[in-house]
Amino acid sequence: MRKNSIKNTRVNAEVQRELSNILRDGIKDPRVAPMTSVVAVEVAPDLKTCKAYISVLGDEKAQKDTIKGLQSAEGYIRRELAHRINLRNTPEIRFIVDQSIEYGVNISRKINEVTKSLDNEAEV
């Protein structure tokens, strides 16, 4: 796997910041959950494609609806991104639901359950 160049890292950070602003201020689609955040962005070195990892607070239905809403608004989001960031090419955005936060919460909950059961056994 190739290491990201400094330029690519900067582009990723700038695109992530602007995507967050666009999602917070510009999207009026009711399918998009209000607590939606951009966790990470990976822009290809040729600036043609972009993977945006999205975290949605809510159940699985809210996540699916948010992704559908974002996919339907991709043209608007891409146009706004082109106005806000001066890049040679405005990347095609692919939205992906990021499960890492939810996964971390579940693992933390399981660890707490195990430590509680071990504490209860130690007391007996």
Side-chain angles (χ1 to χ4, degrees), residues 42-54:
E42 293 177 6
V43 179
D46 63 354
L47 304 176
K48 298 277 187 195
T49 60
C50 167
K51 292 179 187 174
Y53 295 94
I54 305 296

Side-chain angles (χ1 to χ4, degrees), residues 52-90:
Y53 295 94
I54 305 296
S55 175
V56 180
L57 185 66
D59 59 348
E60 198 170 319
K61 183 184 181 315
Q63 292 175 353
K64 287 181 181 178
D65 288 345
T66 298
I67 292 297
K68 285 180 184 174
L70 290 175
Q71 287 171 346
S72 70
E74 189 205 347
Y76 168 77
I77 294 170
R78 194 171 175 199
R79 186 175 67 244
E80 282 295 311
L81 199 60
H83 288 303
R84 296 178 185 206
I85 301 177
N86 186 18
L87 294 174
R88 181 179 304 135
N89 297 317
T90 304

Side-chain angles (χ1 to χ4, degrees), residues 5-102:
S5 67
I6 293 172
K7 177 189 171 201
N8 201 348
T9 304
R10 286 182 184 159
V11 169
N12 288 344
E14 185 68 19
V15 169
Q16 179 179 355
R17 188 168 59 81
E18 289 302 329
L19 267 179
S20 295
N21 291 338
I22 292 168
L23 291 183
R24 187 182 65 233
D25 301 332
I27 302 295
K28 304 295 185 218
D29 193 330
R31 292 177 290 185
V32 177
M35 295 297 288
T36 301
S37 60
V38 180
V39 177
V41 169
E42 293 177 6
V43 179
D46 63 354
L47 304 176
K48 298 277 187 195
T49 60
C50 167
K51 292 179 187 174
Y53 295 94
I54 305 296
S55 175
V56 180
L57 185 66
D59 59 348
E60 198 170 319
K61 183 184 181 315
Q63 292 175 353
K64 287 181 181 178
D65 288 345
T66 298
I67 292 297
K68 285 180 184 174
L70 290 175
Q71 287 171 346
S72 70
E74 189 205 347
Y76 168 77
I77 294 170
R78 194 171 175 199
R79 186 175 67 244
E80 282 295 311
L81 199 60
H83 288 303
R84 296 178 185 206
I85 301 177
N86 186 18
L87 294 174
R88 181 179 304 135
N89 297 317
T90 304
E92 238 180 76
I93 305 167
R94 208 171 92 218
F95 294 103
I96 302 168
V97 175
D98 184 41
Q99 302 286 348
S100 63
I101 296 172
E102 187 176 329

